[in-house]
Amino acid sequence: MKFFLLPVICLFMAAAAIAQAKVDLKDYKQANGAVVTQQGQLLNISWPAGNSLKGSVVLDLAPSRPLFKTISLGRQQITAGVDPAFVMTIGERDLVSQNGWNIFFDKVPNKPHQTYPLTLQKTAVAVRTAGSRTVASIGPVTAAQFSGMLEITFYNGSPLFNIAAVISTEAQAKAIVFDAGMVSREPDWQRILWMNTGDSLQQAQVIPNDTARNLAVKYRAIAAAGKQGAMAVFPPPHQYFYPLDEAFNLDFTWYGNQYRQLVNGYGIGIRQELQGDKRYVPWFNAPPGTKQRLNFFCLLSQDSDAAAFTTLKAFTHNDRYAALPGFKTMSSHFHNEFVMKVMMAGGPVPEHPEFVQVFKNMGVDIVHLAEFHYTADPKGPDEKRLPQLKALFELCEKQSDGKFLLLPGEEPNEFFGGHWLDLFPRPVYWVMSRKPDQPYVEEKPGYGKVYHIGNKEEMLQLLNDERGLAWTAHPRTKGSVNTPDSYNHEPFFLSDRFMGAAWKAMPADLSQPRLGKRVLDLMDDMNNWGTKKTVISEADLFTITQRNEMYAHMNVNYLMLDKLPAYKDSWNPILDAMQHGRFFGSTGEVLMPLLKINGHISGDSLQLPANGLANIDLQLRWTFPMNFVEIISGDGEKVYREKVALTDTEAFGEKSFRFSSKLAGRKWVRVEAWDVAANGAFSQTFWLR
């Protein structure tokens, strides 16, 4: 079936064409510096945009005209006569075969799905003040079974605003994706700008009748430039990307006329490839009653060349994890399979493999691999398994230096149940099987000590003997649907050698103001079990290349380390930080340089005073404006949440906070911080006595 999409404001009820929309301003307060006025069918909104400039838009509430009459920065009109446009595809979620909404092994595009335009009626208009933000709400907006409002949020201190279709449905088992952008029937733009995957500025002349094309870009952004400046369009850097096994760059932007033969007009925007990486493609969850926020950002600039991207790139530190004194960045769970695909296959081994350079360019100090994932011989025989391990160890040693550490690791998926990862403080030769006549450990020429493991008891013994760590990979989803819950009573899980679990933004749900709720909930459950476990961030990705959209699918752990251990030395400082909670996890945009509770750092056990008062000292650094901090605690049964709004913050800030929380009767507490793009950071647990 073919669907025709008009720009998002073009379809209205006949009655609305006659009536003038009356803007509800009862929740608007001019005190924050934004000025809102209505003149007939025109709604004028201006806000302080930083650098002594004012950003301003004129919204046209007439049903037959573009929503944005003008968009300006300072005295320069950036563009005029543009509409937001949304293309929404609705499919069916499999809620039966595995674990409900936590499913990853779903192939939504292989099942019936349909694409719809989002259409807006300008019959209800309101403006409200939310701290340093000004939010214009226009609606209703509808698409098939979904309905809601269009929200435009302007952020003081920056020429930045967000456009969101906030919609919900009562229909069951829906999965969605969306494309979006800004469209004009008479574009006043001259050039389209983007950064290619090699990080070089590219441009194309605007030819209004040229058919739209899709582009692979860096920074997930595309801009339209005119005589007086540029407007860039980009998505939330992590939230917009539902989980996939591969971080392929699937041409996530578009520009041109008649996009997908569905959008009337010439535009620029963001997009999703419905087939994803053609493996498991789960799309976004859309549970009934949830407010799905289909959104993108617009950033204005008075420059119309590469300088227009300077501020945009800063929102993600140029897609790099910022250095923090006293911390080292660490990322885990990569099935790059360089050993089997290149080294053991007899291929040429470059001095500097591409995948290593990708991590270095992203500011990752420590990379923990998960090699031999269904490609090698983990169960032996020894003559195959041991050379594979030796090649892995040699690769890691050669690529490690004083500024970068490549650590060997595997996803064994034997003995314990479900999927799990391991990390030892030094190279360890071990085989995931043991014949009846084989010893548990023996010396072998050329390798030294070699272990043969035949069951979970011996696996735990190996972890004890070599002081290694294990943890649940992608808990409660994928191949770990029932873990760690199913073995949380077993000796290996209760051991201090079993660290806990790993966090990734999976599944994806655009109604959530945070990422990775699945594992954050598990973290609270494990805390209430009283097991003193930690949760590291994991990527769980396969191919790693410069062209990939790595940053969107990545996350890191900021370990409390002053320096990297040398490869030839013990990596125990890294394992100790992981095991004892001396780190925080982050998507990269929100950082926690300091967090102390009554003078203690995460992982500590502390005695609360008689009144149960906890003084929480928190320092945050951020790029996007912050949304909230949440203090989460538990008493061994229940979980308690204390949310602190940070709507007064502006983009690119750093601030120290002190919160006082009454935690009498609680056994643990931890802290999360999230920004307006659902980027965030979360601490490890503090244990209360």
Side-chain angles (χ1 to χ4, degrees), residues 249-287:
N249 192 317
L250 301 174
D251 300 353
F252 293 115
T253 64
W254 61 272
Y255 77 90
N257 190 44
Q258 297 292 317
Y259 171 63
R260 288 180 64 183
Q261 297 301 307
L262 296 171
V263 176
N264 286 336
Y266 188 100
I268 60 172
I270 60 174
R271 63 177 297 275
Q272 287 283 4
E273 185 63 42
L274 298 186
Q275 293 291 335
D277 60 9
K278 298 181 180 179
R279 292 166 63 91
Y280 294 100
V281 185
W283 292 5
F284 295 101
N285 287 343

Side-chain angles (χ1 to χ4, degrees), residues 447-463:
Y447 302 103
K449 190 182 295 184
V450 175
Y451 296 90
H452 288 86
I453 307 301
N455 53 49
K456 59 187 174 184
E457 290 78 16
E458 292 176 353
M459 187 68 236
L460 176 57
Q461 184 63 46
L462 172 61
L463 292 170

Side-chain angles (χ1 to χ4, degrees), residues 136-152:
S137 179
I138 308 165
V141 63
T142 59
Q145 313 101 314
F146 287 78
S147 63
M149 300 291 285
L150 186 76
E151 288 188 353
I152 308 171

Side-chain angles (χ1 to χ4, degrees), residues 647-658:
T647 52
D648 286 332
T649 59
E650 299 180 358
F652 302 107
E654 182 171 2
K655 186 176 179 180
S656 295
F657 303 87
R658 167 163 277 209

Side-chain angles (χ1 to χ4, degrees), residues 380-590:
D382 287 10
E383 56 267 27
K384 288 187 175 181
R385 166 70 169 171
L386 300 182
Q388 292 165 4
L389 284 172
K390 187 173 185 179
L392 173 61
F393 300 151
E394 290 174 349
L395 168 71
C396 291
E397 182 173 9
K398 184 176 181 180
Q399 298 305 319
S400 296
D401 54 35
K403 296 182 179 180
F404 179 77
L405 196 56
L406 187 63
L407 297 181
E410 297 180 79
E411 188 175 8
N413 305 337
E414 300 286 343
F415 313 123
F416 291 158
H419 287 199
W420 55 280
L421 267 71
D422 68 357
L423 176 61
F424 293 97
R426 65 178 186 86
V428 174
Y429 287 97
W430 67 291
V431 183
M432 300 179 201
S433 67
R434 185 165 70 85
K435 299 175 183 177
D437 58 344
Q438 276 186 313
Y440 160 72
V441 60
E442 60 183 326
E443 291 288 330
K444 286 217 166 188
Y447 302 103
K449 190 182 295 184
V450 175
Y451 296 90
H452 288 86
I453 307 301
N455 53 49
K456 59 187 174 184
E457 290 78 16
E458 292 176 353
M459 187 68 236
L460 176 57
Q461 184 63 46
L462 172 61
L463 292 170
N464 279 315
D465 288 347
E466 293 292 344
R467 307 309 294 164
L469 292 178
W471 60 91
T472 308
H474 43 74
R476 294 179 174 175
T477 191
K478 282 191 166 184
S480 300
V481 167
N482 299 313
T483 61
D485 305 71
S486 63
Y487 53 58
N488 66 3
H489 60 287
E490 296 208 31
F492 70 83
F493 178 81
L494 298 174
S495 163
D496 66 350
R497 296 297 93 201
F498 202 92
M499 185 188 72
W503 176 90
K504 180 179 178 175
M506 178 171 58
D509 185 332
L510 296 169
S511 71
Q512 292 288 330
R514 53 167 59 82
L515 300 179
K517 181 178 183 295
R518 165 187 57 94
V519 183
L520 297 175
D521 287 347
L522 169 65
M523 192 175 185
D524 299 334
D525 290 343
M526 290 193 299
N527 289 340
N528 273 341
W529 297 343
T531 49
K532 292 192 176 181
K533 302 300 182 183
T534 63
V535 170
I536 68 162
S537 299
E538 68 175 351
D540 193 4
L541 294 173
F542 287 71
T543 311
I544 301 165
T545 72
Q546 297 281 14
R547 190 182 187 277
N548 275 8
E549 180 46 74
M550 293 294 297
Y551 187 79
H553 295 276
M554 281 279 289
N555 50 58
V556 294
N557 306 279
Y558 276 82
L559 305 183
M560 297 179 191
L561 295 174
D562 289 323
K563 64 178 183 178
L564 289 180
Y567 184 88
K568 291 184 177 181
D569 296 335
S570 169
W571 315 319
N572 257 327
I574 294 170
L575 277 73
D576 284 346
M578 293 166 59
Q579 181 184 15
H580 296 115
R582 309 306 201 200
F583 66 95
F584 66 88
S586 175
T587 58
E589 299 78 10
V590 181

Side-chain angles (χ1 to χ4, degrees), residues 528 606-614 633-640 661-669 687-689:
N528 273 341
L606 59 131
Q607 180 71 50
L608 289 177
N611 61 6
L613 193 66
S633 61
D635 60 9
E637 294 184 2
K638 296 180 180 179
V639 175
Y640 304 84
S661 187
K662 292 185 177 180
L663 300 178
R666 311 290 166 80
K667 295 184 176 181
W668 56 269
V669 62
W687 302 99
L688 307 177
R689 298 195 301 267

